[in-house]
Amino acid sequence: MSNQSYIDGFLGQMSDVLERLPKADIDAAIELLFDTWQQGGTVFIAGNGGSSSTASHFACDLAKWTTSEGKTRFKVLALTDNMPLFSALMNDEGTASVYAEQIEPFIRQGDVLILISVHGGSGAGNAGSWSQNLLRALQVAQEKGARVLGLSGFDGGALREMADVCITVPVDSTPQVESFHLALEHLMCDCLRQKIAEA
């Protein structure tokens, strides 16, 4: 296989996925976040592996890129970023608790929990079922009256079934899904920046 044939195949797949992105779900996600901003709610964001870096990036963009002079700002927190707390919870309570325990004292009605997972909480590896920490946090959020926005891929997994809104990238490729998740958070934040400026 030549580099050029691989490049052509990878970019061709991206072009195909781009055409099949669920635009109605993207619109619903933007409206969900805009409503949260209008209500003064807090956005909590989490993910595992590469999705944890997307969670941090998303939190940064919501907090900074959406700012508009004279307008209130998004209240946003990436649950991936407090490593001392993350590792203490993992050590003492187990991996499934690392996000649920962080949001339990804070999340409430009017807030949103964004969960980012390539497989949407379905499937398993050497450590057992994937992303159970995300699904446990989802349950806590819903019990507290908060809404949940999912970003997933493959068949959408549990997030597609359980979240209030879920954008599922329609491709069975981890690199492709993660790339599109980053593009989607940029799209949403850029749109929110304009909506907030006009509000």
Side-chain angles (χ1 to χ4, degrees):
M1 176 190 64
S2 70
N3 291 344
Q4 192 59 54
S5 65
Y6 188 86
I7 291 166
D8 291 343
F10 191 93
L11 294 179
Q13 186 179 48
M14 289 191 86
S15 179
D16 178 60
V17 173
L18 188 62
E19 291 297 317
R20 296 186 295 116
L21 282 175
K23 294 178 179 65
D25 293 334
I26 299 169
D27 180 77
I30 292 167
E31 289 303 314
L32 174 60
L33 290 170
F34 187 63
D35 183 62
T36 303
W37 172 78
Q38 288 179 309
Q39 292 186 49
T42 300
V43 179
F44 301 88
I45 313 180
N48 298 313
S51 298
S52 69
S53 66
T54 303
S56 294
H57 195 142
F58 202 163
C60 174
D61 288 345
L62 270 180
K64 178 66 172 66
W65 184 243
T66 63
T67 58
S68 183
E69 187 174 351
K71 304 293 174 70
T72 58
R73 298 184 182 196
F74 260 105
K75 295 185 286 186
V76 57
L77 181 67
L79 304 174
T80 51
D81 290 352
N82 187 339
M83 284 311 298
L85 177 57
F86 186 100
S87 62
L89 288 168
M90 187 171 64
N91 186 61
D92 297 344
E93 307 294 335
T95 56
S97 71
V98 293
Y99 298 130
E101 288 294 319
Q102 287 188 67
I103 64 171
E104 204 283 332
F106 299 108
I107 200 163
R108 58 179 176 77
Q109 189 171 356
D111 294 341
V112 168
L113 174 64
I114 300 175
L115 299 173
I116 307 170
S117 172
V118 168
H119 290 272
S122 296
N126 293 335
S129 297
W130 291 328
S131 301
Q132 296 307 293
N133 51 12
L134 301 183
L135 300 183
R136 187 173 292 185
L138 181 149
Q139 291 172 330
V140 169
Q142 291 182 333
E143 287 167 5
K144 301 276 189 173
R147 293 174 292 180
V148 177
L149 168 59
L151 298 182
S152 66
F154 287 72
D155 66 359
L159 281 182
R160 188 171 187 174
E161 301 299 321
M162 299 171 69
D164 295 277
V165 176
C166 186
I167 304 170
T168 300
V169 177
V171 65
D172 295 353
S173 164
T174 295
Q176 294 278 4
V177 172
E178 289 185 346
S179 297
F180 275 100
H181 283 172
L182 193 58
L184 286 166
E185 76 88 358
H186 282 146
L187 182 160
M188 287 186 278
C189 289
D190 202 43
C191 184
L192 286 163
R193 175 185 172 93
Q194 295 184 45
K195 288 175 73 70
I196 289 168
E198 294 168 1

